[in-house]
Amino acid sequence: MGRHFLQIPGPTNVPDRVLRAIAQPTIDHRGPAFARLATELLERLKDVFQTRHHVIVYPSSGTGAWEAALVNTLSPGDRVLAFETGHFSTLWCDMATRLGLVVDLVPGDWRHGADPDAIADLLTAGHAAVMVVHNETSTGVRSRIPEIRAAIDRTGHPALLLVDTISSLGSMVYRHDEWGVDVTVGCSQKGLMLPPGIGFNAVSPKALAHRGRLPRSYWDWEPIIAANRQGFFPYTPPTNLLYGLRAALDLLAEEGLAAVFARHDRHAEATRRAVRAWGLEVLCADEREHSSSLTAVLMPDGHDADEVRRLILERYDMSLGTGLGRLAGRVFRIGHLGHFNDLMLAGTLSGVEMGLSGAGVPIKDGGVRAALAYLEEAG
Amino acid sequence: MGRHFLQIPGPTNVPDRVLRAIAQPTIDHRGPAFARLATELLERLKDVFQTRHHVIVYPSSGTGAWEAALVNTLSPGDRVLAFETGHFSTLWCDMATRLGLVVDLVPGDWRHGADPDAIADLLTAGHAAVMVVHNETSTGVRSRIPEIRAAIDRTGHPALLLVDTISSLGSMVYRHDEWGVDVTVGCSQKGLMLPPGIGFNAVSPKALAHRGRLPRSYWDWEPIIAANRQGFFPYTPPTNLLYGLRAALDLLAEEGLAAVFARHDRHAEATRRAVRAWGLEVLCADEREHSSSLTAVLMPDGHDADEVRRLILERYDMSLGTGLGRLAGRVFRIGHLGHFNDLMLAGTLSGVEMGLSGAGVPIKDGGVRAALAYLEEAG
Amino acid sequence: MGRHFLQIPGPTNVPDRVLRAIAQPTIDHRGPAFARLATELLERLKDVFQTRHHVIVYPSSGTGAWEAALVNTLSPGDRVLAFETGHFSTLWCDMATRLGLVVDLVPGDWRHGADPDAIADLLTAGHAAVMVVHNETSTGVRSRIPEIRAAIDRTGHPALLLVDTISSLGSMVYRHDEWGVDVTVGCSQKGLMLPPGIGFNAVSPKALAHRGRLPRSYWDWEPIIAANRQGFFPYTPPTNLLYGLRAALDLLAEEGLAAVFARHDRHAEATRRAVRAWGLEVLCADEREHSSSLTAVLMPDGHDADEVRRLILERYDMSLGTGLGRLAGRVFRIGHLGHFNDLMLAGTLSGVEMGLSGAGVPIKDGGVRAALAYLEEAG
Amino acid sequence: MGRHFLQIPGPTNVPDRVLRAIAQPTIDHRGPAFARLATELLERLKDVFQTRHHVIVYPSSGTGAWEAALVNTLSPGDRVLAFETGHFSTLWCDMATRLGLVVDLVPGDWRHGADPDAIADLLTAGHAAVMVVHNETSTGVRSRIPEIRAAIDRTGHPALLLVDTISSLGSMVYRHDEWGVDVTVGCSQKGLMLPPGIGFNAVSPKALAHRGRLPRSYWDWEPIIAANRQGFFPYTPPTNLLYGLRAALDLLAEEGLAAVFARHDRHAEATRRAVRAWGLEVLCADEREHSSSLTAVLMPDGHDADEVRRLILERYDMSLGTGLGRLAGRVFRIGHLGHFNDLMLAGTLSGVEMGLSGAGVPIKDGGVRAALAYLEEAG
């Protein structure tokens, strides 16, 4: 009884308004009402990505949008430079390899973002693109995209910059145009507060001009952009999720993107204060790189994060994120993004506090209290 | 952004399942599908009231069900004995007076329930009925119905016992038959977790036999009971709320009524521990009479409860109950009933703690912490 | 499979937008958001009733609003003049009798409306009010309210005029102020396209001034009007149905009331043309008095209307209205009101045509065709 | 006002139950509740495809599932044999070409299905697969898959058989295993009555064993099948559409697949009778090959189908399918599939009849009447 607390770093708690919106009857995707809807959404999405250029909408998961970014811009055998910032950066590289690209993966400790200072040394003539995950969903570490772009620019290298913003879009500051990103990869079920089922590519003019030769059809930007001019799609679009997208964009606009980002920053800081008050360690090791949409918490040795998660799910009906890949069992992740507010955070941290205690993890008192104190002070 | 915390003592947070249920298309209220629905609901409602007899369903608020209890059983000029346990007991008496009854109202301090020991002295031959509010929504005080019944029985008096269970039904132990209640008054928007719009009367055979002469038509039990035999109603029933009622009864049955009551007891105790840890006083003055569905909190002198409520609504998007009648400004009420769980309570108490502090009310640290400690220990 | 056709004369097919609206989370009925909602609705309702005065909103069925009209204006033993136009006019009179009024019921044949020409002869000094059903839901006959008002006025009699507009409100022209009605009785589940659960009284200043002495509390206009000034109610209002009311008022405003009425007129005429083409008789016997929201169809002798209805429900998943009271088995009623359009009417009449034929009722060919021809011509 | 008639051949009218189902809160796609949901759905989907083997679920449109069928089974430069049965068969071939395959397209007149008798002559050693569209959504022509399979088998050729069942799945008899299909391509928004957003591949053991070398990642069956064993997916699945899928499978199971198919056959025949009664021509030229889910209607010379569609949309709020590709302006398509019943069909055909007439297309009387007569007779 009572509401489930869905505090994984996505899918996030979907607002009632969005759920009701997606329950509207499906309409003719070739008719005038649909064209008006699509035209409005394609325009309004630009604001979320902070771009004046085109945003592509796919019926897909975020991984589909990863694939789209690669097959539209690259050719078989192309070399790409990538950074091992965590599980998802690794998966994206695996995908690139499977699609026939050659990946130079800069190793990492999963506690830091991509290193801008390493770019000059690593980027060579053979690289066609640089792939970076803006906000590593597996670690809660943010990479500093503007500094990476600046580092690439200092080398004078023409490499495309491909950025995954899956768990930061709509939650953390992101500026596709200003930051010089060529392809931004996003999806629906995180900061946009929608159910899963839509993938996005924001595309720079340079990326559009630079078409690769990897085989593509479903993901091909060109027929989509052509059809979008009339408000249509070359495939049957996910109409009901688009209804939800309209509602979600309304919600973001009503709060204001700047206020949305400030809210996420504040909740993230409150969460970190709770973690530290418990005497636990936040996974992210660089103060400049904390994620504002999720926090990964390191377990003391000898304690299994998944035991804590299981207890919290059973006893307090809250879902937390598991440790992925090499972090399995060693961290749990708290999602504090999307449709979220102070009292939901208070409930979330209370559940974590009781869960840690109930699972016998040695923590100090005062985590929730530290968070509440910060929320009050930074009201 | 994020969910509103509706922590007034009703209407309560309506579960998603109930909201979706009431969004089903309305059907013919004279057709076979409706008859099956009504027959099922009328049978299942008996469990909620713990009666083998009939439960009447009105398209009305709870006050409508109050009126129904009176006009079905009493005659113009009848005397009734009532207890001033708070604002709602007073309103019910006002209604009785307006309908032409004579009310003997036993004064009270709004911090105690109806006094069973007073019955023998107060009940006289002229009394046709005793009116008691089981759980005073304005004060969070529970009257001890079985003891009141026993006291009446000891006098050998034939008075009907009319009980308002508006904010306890489905949240606190209640036994219409076993406790010897003649008419129980309930409604949809509290422990039943529905939107407002349905009133209930559970009716004993004695009450049915004892028809008064107050004029009545809409509220008249007889044509309703007659029509109910075929699964119909003599008026157009509130079909969509009945869909919701089915979903709500499913939810209660899945958890089990005993578990539902234990959950409310536990949350009420956790709330009282928080209040005491803050150094504040619970309005209810008798340990035997604490409500499990709501807690009224007394403000320290010089502090306005409505200021605190306003701040909490603006800053933390939570609605709390106001002080009613003579308690205006002096108490606020926390509803912890219905579709509710540990983390929602933690969020609720966190909001109260931050709100009291933010409004400059002098409280001690540790309210939320005391509540969490109890929740864990009484898990 | 496929949608049910709910073609009884109410409850009517509820629009998806209204169903989604009522699925919004319930809010605090004493908070500022609710006050804004209620204030808006109370103002906008005036347009539907065509009044500048107050509209009262009850959590009740339409029969509740009947009772409210009586107990607010009349005193025990008052005489009222009423017209037997069908089943519901009779039920309203039964109610008046049970509430202690004396009803002079002008007999009728259930095929005509109230006769304005009879007023002068019938209305005597002893009458406190005239009760008329504007649109008899049991017969599809409309009474000519302005002519009745004019007839009363010609006598110079101060009688109040109480009018039931349950199945015409929002479907047929109705003007509370201009027609000089004192109390108009309405409800939610017909032309307003809502689920059942709200009753209305529109109240003239004269009615407000003329308070009767029947006992009343729940239905009492005065505390409601007083509380409404702040956007509140003296009882817990049916919040979720009010959400639906807002959506329904939006729908009516988007189409425009004049267009709404014209649509109903056109569908009613198309229906009558189908009935005549089948060689059957419309129950309403006066061309000036056809209802635009429903049509009652007389069965040829020897054929049972309920057999036809049962076959149509089973075979074509459509609900039609039964014959009520003395018309049982002799008529069926087609509701063509509310959320309805040309193709729904075509489906409805097709179902009736197939059902009559399937039940062995001798009909001529061409009913649906006649309706379609009219729809096209009167497009 | 009134419901829109969505009579394109997909997306189809989504049942209320499905719309409410997709409005359920999104849950953790890595948690136990999700695993139970996915495991149930993956098992129940087999029945829809009539296979004992695996059904793959993609967050995608139907075109995505086309791409998946190709990239999983074929290698760059592979030759495939395909039949030009209409617009969608051509688009699928275009996709194959863009992905690097060589397509031998057997020309067709868009009025016949794929010719089984041609197989023996056309299929050569170099062909890796045969691509056929079961039910051409652009023409309403059904290809005879079992005869095509038999023709392939007679040649002893090992070619894979890839079949698009996008607009027939859940509406017309289809048997993946029994008919010897290797990959069946389906999607959510037609006979399955869901909004768009899910693509399907049903996969034979032979297809699974025969992995091609086209680059693939998102569409790759292997990691999906591996993750599905635990009830999970290697990407974030479209949870809310899966809720809808469960509701849709319930609806199909409640009616029974055989009854579902019979209903579609009956509605298709009624539609053809209406078309012939109007004196118009059904596009499908072979009696053995009529689609049961849609009917394409040829316009008389000098009349533009899109003018008729526009008039019908504006005047009667019904969407019909446009003529695609070379049929633009020459046909319109009536979708009569999915959540549909006799009265919806009657409304649909009434709208077409009035629309044709209103647009000045010379038609004979009696189309709707012929359809109703057949519906009654074949009740």
Side-chain angles (χ1 to χ4, degrees), chain B residues 4 9 45 51 56 170 257 277 300:
Chain B
H4 179 69
L45 274 170
T51 183
I56 309 277
L257 274 182

Side-chain angles (χ1 to χ4, degrees), chain D residues 33-378:
Chain D
F34 184 86
R36 284 191 297 273
L37 170 67
T39 302
E40 175 197 327
L41 292 178
L42 291 169
E43 189 57 34
R44 293 176 67 188
L45 273 170
K46 293 179 183 176
D47 213 42
V48 176
F49 287 89
Q50 292 284 297
T51 182
R52 283 158 304 146
H53 306 297
H54 208 83
V55 179
I56 308 279
V57 172
Y58 293 108
S60 77
S61 68
T63 49
W66 270 356
E67 182 157 320
L70 300 175
V71 300
N72 272 285
T73 55
L74 300 169
S75 299
D78 272 357
R79 296 182 74 92
V80 294
L81 180 65
F83 295 85
E84 184 199 2
T85 52
H87 186 64
F88 290 100
S89 67
T90 310
L91 289 183
W92 197 12
C93 290
D94 289 351
M95 171 183 272
T97 304
R98 276 186 281 159
L99 292 173
L101 303 170
V102 180
V103 181
D104 293 321
L105 181 62
V106 184
D109 68 355
W110 293 36
R111 304 191 64 178
H112 293 81
D115 181 4
D117 299 333
I119 296 274
D121 289 341
L122 296 164
L123 196 61
T124 64
H127 286 123
V130 177
M131 292 162 64
V132 186
V133 173
H134 178 224
N135 188 61
E136 242 301 339
T137 314
S138 64
T139 63
V141 177
R142 186 173 55 82
S143 285
R144 289 161 284 151
I145 304 300
E147 298 181 34
I148 289 164
R149 175 80 263 174
I152 298 172
D153 289 349
R154 275 193 299 273
T155 66
H157 194 291
L160 294 170
L161 178 57
L162 314 183
V163 178
D164 165 342
T165 182
I166 280 179
S167 61
S168 52
L169 186 73
S171 312
M172 296 164 56
V173 173
Y174 188 81
R175 304 181 171 279
H176 178 86
D177 285 4
E178 186 183 319
W179 292 358
V181 180
D182 291 300
V183 187
T184 297
V185 171
C187 70
S188 54
Q189 74 269 21
K190 313 271 179 169
L192 288 189
M193 309 175 290
L194 288 164
I198 302 181
F200 300 105
N201 277 181
V203 178
S204 74
K206 181 174 160 192
L208 253 185
H210 180 98
R211 309 309 308 280
R213 293 184 315 279
L214 276 171
R216 63 178 166 265
S217 174
Y218 185 73
W219 307 113
D220 198 348
W221 295 334
E222 281 177 12
I224 298 173
I225 292 174
N228 282 177
R229 282 193 198 102
Q230 317 301 324
F232 298 117
F233 289 87
Y235 43 76
T236 309
T239 308
N240 290 53
L241 292 174
L242 295 179
Y243 294 146
L245 179 56
R246 179 156 56 181
L249 292 175
D250 286 347
L251 283 165
L252 291 175
E254 286 165 18
E255 186 174 4
L257 274 182
V260 169
F261 299 150
R263 171 167 54 85
H264 283 81
D265 292 344
R266 186 165 158 273
H267 287 161
E269 175 61 26
T271 301
R272 290 190 295 269
R273 292 199 180 198
V275 173
R276 288 176 197 134
W278 291 324
L280 299 180
E281 199 177 347
V282 170
L283 181 66
C284 174
D286 185 328
E287 279 300 312
R288 297 168 302 177
E289 298 183 331
H290 283 307
S291 168
S292 286
S293 60
L294 75 131
T295 301
V297 181
L298 267 168
M299 295 295 288
D301 284 343
H303 292 276
D304 180 357
D306 287 333
E307 278 304 314
V308 175
R309 291 178 54 250
R310 183 159 34 241
L311 181 150
I312 289 174
L313 180 58
E314 280 168 17
R315 209 172 282 178
Y316 302 110
D317 198 20
M318 174 162 65
S319 296
L320 296 172
T322 189
L324 293 166
R326 67 156 85 155
L327 294 173
R330 294 186 47 221
V331 308
F332 63 88
R333 294 172 298 140
I334 305 170
H336 34 68
L337 75 163
H339 186 58
F340 203 61
N341 59 29
D342 286 12
L343 302 194
M344 292 170 82
L345 177 63
T348 297
L349 296 176
S350 294
V352 172
E353 185 165 305
M354 290 191 288
L356 287 165
S357 160
V361 179
I363 56 167
K364 292 187 225 157
D365 261 348
V368 170
R369 189 176 152 197
L372 297 186
Y374 177 74
L375 288 177
E376 249 201 283
E377 143 203 343

